[in-house]
């Protein structure tokens, strides 16, 4: 397995493209697909003091070469390369790292010699990174994220099999053109739909309402449905270094307008509200958001419920208030889309609603 400039920090990242150490089966059977694993940290690279400790551990301390070394079967699936992009607990994921990651993926996939990319990530914000990449990767080659709920040091660690399955999915021709995928616990999910649904179970990712795209097991990959909304090559979004300031507020019993007013005073460009039910909003917060919208702040109504969708002009009069409905995107993914839309120059509720209805 060839390491592409493995290092523990982003700053020291070496993006050498040497592939001399790649095992080759040239001359005998067709070459296996060439897959690059980009490691960012997370529990999949986590270690605890004992094998029975699955909650008190440090995320992102094991290097990518070690992650690959414990799964010898990888070399039967693909010609492997790896790079350490970062070593973070994904609770600390930040936009500059998203820029670095997306740009690196785009550079790698522009290389004719590379067939796909796997990203190892923490589970906490995986759904946000996956959706960001789904909208900004400019290639139809497979990009597959995976992670683990148990640290690498744990009894029955789930990372090694998740990694093997992710590489198996990335190496499949049928994974091309499906947008960014998440392979986790034998299921394959679309980046748009997938969410983390458990704080501890190894079956921690689901696509509420719509279900997984397919499954992977013992080297077999099967897709059972396709991805309908545009992604990757078909979007208007490009990854850049500038991220419009967008925050999320929550509506709940007794909530005040203090948080919204403070965000507006801080100069935010957009606010996503995690509303109750069908994106309904407590009267005090709704008034604060209407005031914000009248000052040019983009306001998007999502729901804190976890499944379903928010109907435009359903629980709130979006047309009159100047709000946008997030549809079936949860608040965290709605924030990703709003940042990209604002960065692309979209302004006003009509243009923004069109973007939310499209992606
Ligand atoms: N806090 C960890 C992370 O997101 C959790 C995990 O990976 O499961 O990096």
């Amino acid at each position: 397995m060839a390491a592409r400039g493995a290092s523990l920090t982003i700053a020291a990242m070496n993006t050498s493209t040497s592939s001399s150490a790649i095992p080759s089966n040239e001359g005998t059977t067709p070459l296996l697909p060439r897959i690059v694993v980009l490691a960012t940290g997370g529990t999949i690279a986590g270690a605890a003091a004992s094998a029975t400790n699955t909650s008190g551990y440090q995320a992102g301390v094991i290097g990518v070469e070690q992650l690959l070394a414990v799964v010898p079967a990888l070399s039967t699936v693909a010609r492997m390369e790896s790079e350490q992009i970062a070593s973070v607990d994904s609770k600390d994921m930040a936009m500059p790292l998203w820029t670095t990651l997306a740009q690196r993926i785009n550079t790698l996939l522009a290389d004719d010699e590379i067939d796909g990319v796997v990203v190892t990530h923490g589970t906490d914000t995986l759904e946000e990174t996956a959706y960001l990449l789904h909208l900004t990767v400019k290639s139809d080659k497979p990009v597959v994220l995976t992670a683990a709920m148990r640290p690498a040091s744990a009894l029955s660690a789930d990372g090694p099999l998740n990694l093997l399955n992710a590489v198996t999915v990335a190496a499949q021709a049928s994974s091309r053109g499906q947008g960014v995928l998440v392979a986790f616990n034998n299921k394959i999910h679309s980046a748009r739909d997938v969410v983390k649904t458990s704080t501890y179970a190894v079956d921690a990712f689901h696509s509420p309402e719509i279900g997984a795209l397919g499954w992977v097991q013992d080297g077999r990959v099967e897709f059972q449905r396709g991805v309908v909304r545009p992604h990757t090559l078909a979007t208007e979004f490009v990854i850049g270094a500038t991220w419009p300031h967008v925050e999320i507020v929550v509506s709940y019993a007794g909530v005040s307008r203090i948080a919204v007013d403070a965000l507006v005073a801080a100069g935010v460009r957009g606010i996503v509200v995690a509303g109750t039910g069908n994106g309904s909003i407590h009267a005090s917060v709704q008034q604060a958001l209407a005031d914000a919208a009248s000052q040019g702040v983009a306001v998007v109504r999502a729901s804190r419920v976890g499944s379903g969708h928010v109907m435009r002009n359903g629980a709130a009069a979006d047309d009159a208030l100047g709000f946008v409905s997030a549809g079936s995107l949860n608040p965290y993914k709605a924030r990703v889309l709003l940042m990209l839309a604002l960065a692309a120059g979209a302004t006003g509720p009509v243009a923004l609603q069109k973007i939310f209805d499209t992606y």
Side-chain angles (χ1 to χ4, degrees), residues 41-44 57 59 88-91 121-125 148-149 196:
T43 295
I44 193 167
Y57 59 87
V88 296
D89 185 319
S90 80
K91 73 179 177 59
H121 199 284
T123 59
D124 289 347
T125 57
M149 288 298 284
K196 184 175 179 180

Side-chain angles (χ1 to χ4, degrees), residues 42-60:
T43 295
I44 193 167
S50 91
T52 52
N53 188 340
T54 60
S55 60
Y57 59 87
Q58 207 183 335

Side-chain angles (χ1 to χ4, degrees), residues 300-313:
V300 175
R301 276 193 315 120
S303 175
R304 66 181 205 180
V305 166
S307 67
H309 54 255
V310 168
M311 285 291 286
R312 184 166 175 84
N313 290 320

